[in-house]
Amino acid sequence: MLSPLAPRDADGLLFDWDGTLVDSQSANYRAMTEALAPLGVTLERAWFDARTGLSSAEMIGALTEEGGLDLPVPVREIVARRDEHFLRQAHRIRAHPAVLEVVRTWHGRLPMAVASGGSRAVISRTMRHLPYASLFSTVVTREDVERGKPAPDIFLLAAHRLGIAPDRCAVYEDSDEGVAAALAAGMTVIDVRPHTGR
């Protein structure tokens, strides 16, 4: 029987990072909470969980806009602190077994890319502790594009780097923003949430 995560008719596979390839939701929440706490900002877990497809900077922007907050430091400084907190626990991050199996099954058969709203430095340093390090042809992050998810830019650039037409790509995602971005790019979407416990 064909796995529900099998890509079926695709020429290339694009994978979101946080929540899709890796189980990092709690670590990301803790890191963002620790970065915001010195500023007197409380981050509700439910609010955070509902916006996991946003980059850290975009999430902070949404938080300040919705809460009418005036932060005393630039967003980039808060993001840098968040990344520092996260990297202290990067060695504890684990791969999602079901998605890891897809990557291992199709490695060498179809070109694959990481396409994430996360930071390149955080992804590359975390990847060292995981079995993904040599399995992807390219990694595209929020720094590589003008607009993050739900805009399609990250996925379109990943497809371009792989040399594959967008409509021939299958995207593995775990967030509403990521699904919207993949659909806006004209790609097939495989929602991993039923297979990763989210």
Side-chain angles (χ1 to χ4, degrees):
M1 188 170 99
L2 193 62
S3 162
L5 290 177
R8 296 174 177 80
D9 185 30
D11 294 333
L13 308 181
L14 311 182
F15 295 84
D16 172 56
W17 178 255
D18 287 299
T20 299
L21 287 167
V22 295
D23 183 4
S24 56
Q25 185 75 351
S26 293
N28 277 317
Y29 174 70
R30 283 193 301 272
M32 185 66 84
T33 299
E34 289 166 358
L36 291 169
L39 305 175
V41 177
T42 301
L43 183 63
E44 297 295 332
R45 180 66 189 255
W47 187 94
F48 177 86
D49 286 347
R51 291 159 182 83
T52 57
L54 299 177
S55 70
S56 296
E58 288 158 340
M59 184 176 284
I60 293 165
L63 183 65
T64 56
E65 186 176 321
E66 290 177 31
L69 304 174
D70 186 18
L71 298 175
V73 298
V75 169
R76 69 178 178 279
E77 287 186 24
I78 303 170
V79 172
R81 287 182 204 158
R82 188 226 78 95
D83 290 353
E84 287 172 17
H85 288 300
F86 182 89
L87 287 170
R88 287 192 198 108
Q89 53 190 331
H91 62 284
R92 297 193 187 108
I93 302 301
R94 296 292 173 257
H96 275 304
V99 184
L100 175 59
E101 182 180 348
V102 172
V103 174
R104 285 179 165 160
T105 298
W106 294 96
H107 175 64
R109 297 165 66 186
L110 291 176
M112 298 186 293
V114 174
S116 170
S119 149
R120 178 175 303 281
V122 169
I123 291 171
S124 62
R125 287 177 61 182
T126 307
M127 198 180 281
R128 294 178 199 163
H129 305 285
L130 295 160
Y132 290 126
S134 61
L135 302 180
F136 296 97
S137 302
T138 189
V139 175
V140 176
T141 66
R142 180 63 181 89
E143 296 104 324
D144 296 319
V145 296
E146 283 190 26
R147 302 176 300 166
K149 302 170 187 177
D153 305 30
I154 289 170
F155 291 129
L156 291 172
L157 180 56
H160 174 74
R161 287 187 180 174
L162 293 179
I164 298 169
D167 65 352
R168 300 299 304 154
C169 292
V171 174
Y172 290 80
E173 259 292 353
D174 76 308
S175 72
D176 292 343
E177 294 88 354
V179 168
L183 292 174
M187 299 176 179
T188 300
V189 184
I190 298 172
D191 191 335
V192 304
R193 285 175 281 197
H195 310 280
T196 59
R198 275 204 58 210

